[in-house]
Amino acid sequence: MKDHDTVPYHLPALPAEEAIARAQSLRDRLKERRSCRYFSDQPVPREVIEAAIEAAGTAPNGANHQPWHFAVVTSPEKKRAIRLAAEEEEKRFYGEDGDKPKASDEWLDALSDLGTDADKPFLETAPYLIVVFAQRKGGIEEDGKTQNYYVNESVGIACGMLIAALHEGGCSTLTHTPSPMGFLREACERPEWEKPLMIVVAGRPSADATVPAHALKKKPLSQIASWL
Ligand code: IYR
């Protein structure tokens, strides 16, 4: 390695049995996570959201530029504006505006198991809309000029960690990606070098919430992993 400033790194060793038990227990908790489309308006402590965002902010990323911003929308007026704008886009996607759908027949067919349509009431009901922005430029100082690297990969990993931490804090989530999402930059008052990547809807599921049975079909380890 070339000469650079360092600090010691220690990760306490675990007995194999404990390491296995801890990894399996986290797996089992993450297995309970579902993408939820039915939220109640029940409040969730702000500290849960703050801690989850801090957890997301520890994600590995390009050159440690940490190219993310999490705009937490709680105001009913802003949530309503985002819902209306998102539903406009979704109506075009699903062809609910009377025109030919923007989505291909194959895509609409793939979504049929999920039952989704252009109606997105959860964008107003859920207490938090965490709008995740990817900073194409800015560096660690957020100067808007310095080039950032592996932005999509970095922010994608951060979103995974955000969702895992929210789940751990008793929140249901939905990763929502209206397309196109340009309207979110203006709604969240973010600069032009930031690109909205997704909305992470967070809150408690409604009492009558359901999830599509299709979502329970998970590929087994033997299919998702190979050992070489
Ligand atoms: N953004 C649309 C469509 C959609 C697309 C995929 I791929 C999904 O997994 C779910 C939905 C919507 O939110 O309805």
Side-chain angles (χ1 to χ4, degrees):
M1 290 285 276
K2 288 189 201 149
D3 190 33
H4 62 294
D5 272 351
T6 63
V7 291
Y9 169 59
H10 296 296
L11 183 65
L14 297 172
E17 263 181 27
E18 194 184 338
I20 295 166
R22 281 171 58 161
Q24 291 177 339
S25 128
L26 180 59
R27 172 203 62 195
D28 291 345
R29 279 207 299 280
L30 291 178
K31 267 187 167 181
E32 290 163 3
R33 187 203 55 80
R34 301 279 169 263
S35 290
C36 176
R37 295 183 176 81
Y38 303 95
F39 283 86
S40 87
D41 60 2
Q42 203 184 315
V44 162
R46 178 184 167 120
E47 289 83 350
V48 170
I49 308 299
E50 287 178 342
I53 293 173
E54 286 180 312
T58 68
N61 66 89
N64 199 31
H65 286 189
Q66 302 157 67
W68 40 62
H69 182 86
F70 303 90
V72 186
V73 180
T74 59
S75 119
E77 297 75 33
K78 278 259 181 244
K79 286 196 289 181
R80 179 155 186 79
I82 289 173
R83 174 186 179 180
L84 293 178
E87 286 182 338
E88 279 310 304
E89 301 294 1
E90 298 292 358
K91 278 181 199 154
R92 285 190 276 274
F93 177 86
Y94 287 100
E96 290 178 29
D97 59 349
D99 283 350
K100 189 175 171 299
K102 272 175 62 188
S104 64
D105 288 345
E106 189 180 8
W107 195 345
L108 292 174
D109 191 45
L111 292 178
S112 65
D113 282 333
L114 303 181
T116 52
D117 60 18
D119 194 23
K120 305 296 178 193
F122 53 77
L123 291 174
E124 259 188 289
T125 322
Y128 299 101
L129 305 181
I130 307 174
V131 188
V132 184
F133 289 87
Q135 298 176 326
R136 285 180 285 227
K137 292 182 183 301
I140 202 160
E141 305 300 340
E142 307 209 349
D143 61 14
K145 292 197 280 277
T146 304
Q147 186 59 48
N148 288 338
Y149 306 97
Y150 297 106
V151 171
N152 288 336
E153 293 84 347
S154 303
V155 186
I157 297 168
C159 286
M161 294 172 70
L162 175 69
I163 292 158
L166 288 167
H167 174 66
E168 191 67 8
C171 276
S172 289
T173 56
L174 179 69
T175 48
H176 182 52
T177 50
S179 162
M181 288 195 280
F183 70 90
L184 289 169
R185 189 186 298 127
E186 205 180 308
C188 298
E189 301 164 31
R190 299 308 302 167
E192 56 85 18
W193 58 85
E194 291 188 4
K195 178 180 74 163
L197 206 70
M198 66 177 76
I199 305 175
V200 176
V201 183
R204 294 285 309 154
S206 64
D208 56 356
T210 58
V211 295
H214 173 72
L216 303 186
K217 284 187 214 157
K218 298 298 182 201
K219 294 183 184 178
L221 179 64
S222 58
Q223 195 177 349
I224 65 173
S226 48
W227 305 77
L228 307 157

